[in-house]
Amino acid sequence: MKTGRNDPCPCGSGRKFKRCCVSGGLAPIPADLSPAQLVEARRQAFACGNFAFIYDSYHAESPFRGHFPVRGDYLVYARRELRGRFRILECRILAEDRPSPEEARVLFYLDMLSGEDRHESLELSRFLQTAEGWRYHSGQKIERRQCPGPLEAVSIGQIESLADGICF
């Protein structure tokens, strides 16, 4: 079913669709969030279906923005394909480093359900500093089973070597 311009916005903002996501309004992202805090904010946004926040938290030069250069196209896709299909059981930050003042990396564990299927993964995310704060640029993800043992023992270097250059 198509959202009408005067219907409530599906992102959950409480505003009309024409004054929110369809018009390209920004989802406010506090500029003082650290990269690790932005991972948590993105998790919360995903859990409640706030795909406008997810889109706006991507860096303008991210591979994701190359696939979805038009915000409205992503929001339509996310509402149709992603909303309600996943449930995040746990998201835990394992490590964070800052190779430079303009770049940060966050390693986190993600445990989620897609229907009856459970997916556990480790992701090494790259963030870049902008005038508006940190923004998600890209990530390398592997399945949890590739790093057996305690989560606390997983390192950024280990994910880099196992992810074999896969970047999204």
Side-chain angles (χ1 to χ4, degrees), residues 55-82:
Y55 187 90
D56 295 343
S57 67
Y58 274 99
H59 191 275
E61 296 173 6
S62 67
F64 172 86
R65 289 278 187 101
H67 293 299
F68 286 102
V70 178
R71 184 178 190 256
D73 291 347
Y74 171 71
L75 297 177
V76 168
Y77 165 80
R79 282 193 306 273
R80 185 182 66 238
E81 301 295 329
L82 303 177

Side-chain angles (χ1 to χ4, degrees), residues 123-143:
E123 181 177 329
L124 178 58
S125 297
R126 180 177 180 227
F127 292 82
L128 298 177
Q129 182 70 269
T130 70
E132 295 81 31
W134 291 100
R135 294 297 181 263
Y136 182 98
H137 182 271
S138 53
Q140 296 174 287
K141 186 181 284 189
I142 65 167
E143 293 182 29

Side-chain angles (χ1 to χ4, degrees), residues 35-40 91-96 106-109:
Q37 290 170 323
L38 189 52
V39 167
E40 175 57 20
C91 179
R92 186 185 328 168
I93 305 298
L94 303 176
E96 180 178 5
V106 177
L107 173 60
F108 64 95
Y109 164 74

